[in-house]
PDB file of all heavy atoms in Angstrom:
ATOM      1  N   LEU A 105      -3.784   2.922  21.338  1.00  0.00           N
ATOM      2  CA  LEU A 105      -2.596   2.390  21.996  1.00  0.00           C
ATOM      3  C   LEU A 105      -1.700   1.597  21.091  1.00  0.00           C
ATOM      4  O   LEU A 105      -0.500   1.704  21.155  1.00  0.00           O
ATOM      5  CB  LEU A 105      -2.992   1.587  23.326  1.00  0.00           C
ATOM      6  CG  LEU A 105      -3.608   2.381  24.394  1.00  0.00           C
ATOM      7  CD1 LEU A 105      -3.966   1.450  25.563  1.00  0.00           C
ATOM      8  CD2 LEU A 105      -2.641   3.485  24.930  1.00  0.00           C
ATOM      9  N   GLY A 106      -2.305   0.751  20.288  1.00  0.00           N
ATOM     10  CA  GLY A 106      -1.553  -0.015  19.354  1.00  0.00           C
ATOM     11  C   GLY A 106      -0.785   0.825  18.380  1.00  0.00           C
ATOM     12  O   GLY A 106       0.413   0.640  18.098  1.00  0.00           O
ATOM     13  N   LEU A 107      -1.465   1.853  17.827  1.00  0.00           N
ATOM     14  CA  LEU A 107      -0.868   2.738  16.875  1.00  0.00           C
ATOM     15  C   LEU A 107       0.276   3.620  17.648  1.00  0.00           C
ATOM     16  O   LEU A 107       1.326   3.835  17.055  1.00  0.00           O
ATOM     17  CB  LEU A 107      -1.833   3.675  16.318  1.00  0.00           C
ATOM     18  CG  LEU A 107      -1.337   4.641  15.097  1.00  0.00           C
ATOM     19  CD1 LEU A 107      -0.680   3.826  14.037  1.00  0.00           C
ATOM     20  CD2 LEU A 107      -2.576   5.535  14.658  1.00  0.00           C
ATOM     21  N   ALA A 108      -0.093   4.029  18.833  1.00  0.00           N
ATOM     22  CA  ALA A 108       0.972   4.807  19.557  1.00  0.00           C
ATOM     23  C   ALA A 108       2.164   3.986  19.927  1.00  0.00           C
ATOM     24  O   ALA A 108       3.314   4.439  19.986  1.00  0.00           O
ATOM     25  CB  ALA A 108       0.360   5.338  20.796  1.00  0.00           C
ATOM     26  N   LEU A 109       1.930   2.756  20.249  1.00  0.00           N
ATOM     27  CA  LEU A 109       2.962   1.784  20.639  1.00  0.00           C
ATOM     28  C   LEU A 109       3.902   1.473  19.416  1.00  0.00           C
ATOM     29  O   LEU A 109       5.126   1.342  19.546  1.00  0.00           O
ATOM     30  CB  LEU A 109       2.516   0.516  21.236  1.00  0.00           C
ATOM     31  CG  LEU A 109       3.368  -0.388  21.976  1.00  0.00           C
ATOM     32  CD1 LEU A 109       4.057   0.257  23.104  1.00  0.00           C
ATOM     33  CD2 LEU A 109       2.745  -1.720  22.358  1.00  0.00           C
ATOM     34  N   SER A 110       3.353   1.512  18.181  1.00  0.00           N
ATOM     35  CA  SER A 110       4.036   1.160  17.011  1.00  0.00           C
ATOM     36  C   SER A 110       4.952   2.473  16.756  1.00  0.00           C
ATOM     37  O   SER A 110       6.110   2.340  16.309  1.00  0.00           O
ATOM     38  CB  SER A 110       3.182   1.007  15.883  1.00  0.00           C
ATOM     39  OG  SER A 110       2.342   2.128  15.508  1.00  0.00           O
ATOM     40  N   GLU A 111       4.408   3.690  17.041  1.00  0.00           N
ATOM     41  CA  GLU A 111       5.204   4.931  16.855  1.00  0.00           C
ATOM     42  C   GLU A 111       6.398   4.934  17.889  1.00  0.00           C
ATOM     43  O   GLU A 111       7.408   5.369  17.578  1.00  0.00           O
ATOM     44  CB  GLU A 111       4.405   6.153  17.031  1.00  0.00           C
ATOM     45  CG  GLU A 111       3.171   6.218  16.111  1.00  0.00           C
ATOM     46  CD  GLU A 111       3.651   6.751  14.663  1.00  0.00           C
ATOM     47  OE1 GLU A 111       4.843   7.067  14.627  1.00  0.00           O
ATOM     48  OE2 GLU A 111       2.869   6.790  13.840  1.00  0.00           O
ATOM     49  N   LEU A 112       6.158   4.400  19.107  1.00  0.00           N
ATOM     50  CA  LEU A 112       6.992   4.350  20.096  1.00  0.00           C
ATOM     51  C   LEU A 112       8.190   3.499  19.770  1.00  0.00           C
ATOM     52  O   LEU A 112       9.334   3.768  20.149  1.00  0.00           O
ATOM     53  CB  LEU A 112       6.409   3.891  21.428  1.00  0.00           C
ATOM     54  CG  LEU A 112       7.369   3.911  22.738  1.00  0.00           C
ATOM     55  CD1 LEU A 112       7.859   5.333  22.992  1.00  0.00           C
ATOM     56  CD2 LEU A 112       6.635   3.301  23.908  1.00  0.00           C
ATOM     57  N   THR A 113       8.003   2.527  18.947  1.00  0.00           N
ATOM     58  CA  THR A 113       9.019   1.599  18.507  1.00  0.00           C
ATOM     59  C   THR A 113      10.141   2.343  17.763  1.00  0.00           C
ATOM     60  O   THR A 113      11.299   2.079  17.880  1.00  0.00           O
ATOM     61  CB  THR A 113       8.423   0.449  17.663  1.00  0.00           C
ATOM     62  OG1 THR A 113       7.453  -0.203  18.342  1.00  0.00           O
ATOM     63  CG2 THR A 113       9.544  -0.529  17.264  1.00  0.00           C
ATOM     64  N   TYR A 114       9.615   3.332  16.913  1.00  0.00           N
ATOM     65  CA  TYR A 114      10.535   4.056  16.157  1.00  0.00           C
ATOM     66  C   TYR A 114      11.471   4.986  17.046  1.00  0.00           C
ATOM     67  O   TYR A 114      12.526   5.256  16.753  1.00  0.00           O
ATOM     68  CB  TYR A 114       9.842   5.086  15.136  1.00  0.00           C
ATOM     69  CG  TYR A 114       9.207   4.336  14.020  1.00  0.00           C
ATOM     70  CD1 TYR A 114       7.837   3.970  14.068  1.00  0.00           C
ATOM     71  CD2 TYR A 114       9.887   4.100  12.866  1.00  0.00           C
ATOM     72  CE1 TYR A 114       7.264   3.341  12.968  1.00  0.00           C
ATOM     73  CE2 TYR A 114       9.319   3.529  11.736  1.00  0.00           C
ATOM     74  CZ  TYR A 114       7.943   2.994  11.793  1.00  0.00           C
ATOM     75  OH  TYR A 114       7.430   2.392  10.702  1.00  0.00           O
ATOM     76  N   ALA A 115      10.773   5.424  18.180  1.00  0.00           N
ATOM     77  CA  ALA A 115      11.480   6.408  18.974  1.00  0.00           C
ATOM     78  C   ALA A 115      12.433   5.802  20.088  1.00  0.00           C
ATOM     79  O   ALA A 115      13.173   6.495  20.671  1.00  0.00           O
ATOM     80  CB  ALA A 115      10.370   7.284  19.717  1.00  0.00           C
ATOM     81  N   LEU A 116      12.400   4.426  20.312  1.00  0.00           N
ATOM     82  CA  LEU A 116      13.140   3.820  21.367  1.00  0.00           C
ATOM     83  C   LEU A 116      14.633   4.089  21.178  1.00  0.00           C
ATOM     84  O   LEU A 116      15.305   4.431  22.311  1.00  0.00           O
ATOM     85  CB  LEU A 116      12.772   2.331  21.341  1.00  0.00           C
ATOM     86  CG  LEU A 116      11.477   1.994  21.938  1.00  0.00           C
ATOM     87  CD1 LEU A 116      11.354   0.409  21.870  1.00  0.00           C
ATOM     88  CD2 LEU A 116      11.332   2.396  23.338  1.00  0.00           C
ATOM     89  N   PRO A 117      15.306   3.966  20.096  1.00  0.00           N
ATOM     90  CA  PRO A 117      16.703   4.323  20.079  1.00  0.00           C
ATOM     91  C   PRO A 117      16.999   5.816  20.405  1.00  0.00           C
ATOM     92  O   PRO A 117      17.939   6.048  21.082  1.00  0.00           O
ATOM     93  CB  PRO A 117      17.055   4.070  18.523  1.00  0.00           C
ATOM     94  CG  PRO A 117      16.066   3.041  18.034  1.00  0.00           C
ATOM     95  CD  PRO A 117      14.784   3.509  18.778  1.00  0.00           C
ATOM     96  N   GLY A 118      16.112   6.640  20.003  1.00  0.00           N
ATOM     97  CA  GLY A 118      16.304   8.154  20.425  1.00  0.00           C
ATOM     98  C   GLY A 118      16.146   8.241  21.798  1.00  0.00           C
ATOM     99  O   GLY A 118      16.895   9.064  22.480  1.00  0.00           O
ATOM    100  N   LEU A 119      15.130   7.648  22.461  1.00  0.00           N
ATOM    101  CA  LEU A 119      14.954   7.758  23.938  1.00  0.00           C
ATOM    102  C   LEU A 119      16.148   7.171  24.600  1.00  0.00           C
ATOM    103  O   LEU A 119      16.556   7.763  25.626  1.00  0.00           O
ATOM    104  CB  LEU A 119      13.603   6.997  24.361  1.00  0.00           C
ATOM    105  CG  LEU A 119      12.317   7.609  23.690  1.00  0.00           C
ATOM    106  CD1 LEU A 119      11.204   6.781  24.173  1.00  0.00           C
ATOM    107  CD2 LEU A 119      12.078   9.057  24.237  1.00  0.00           C
TER     108      LEU A 119
END
Side-chain angles (χ1 to χ4, degrees):
L105 291 177
L107 186 57
L109 195 59
S110 68
E111 299 283 355
L112 185 61
T113 305
Y114 288 94
L116 286 178
L119 296 177

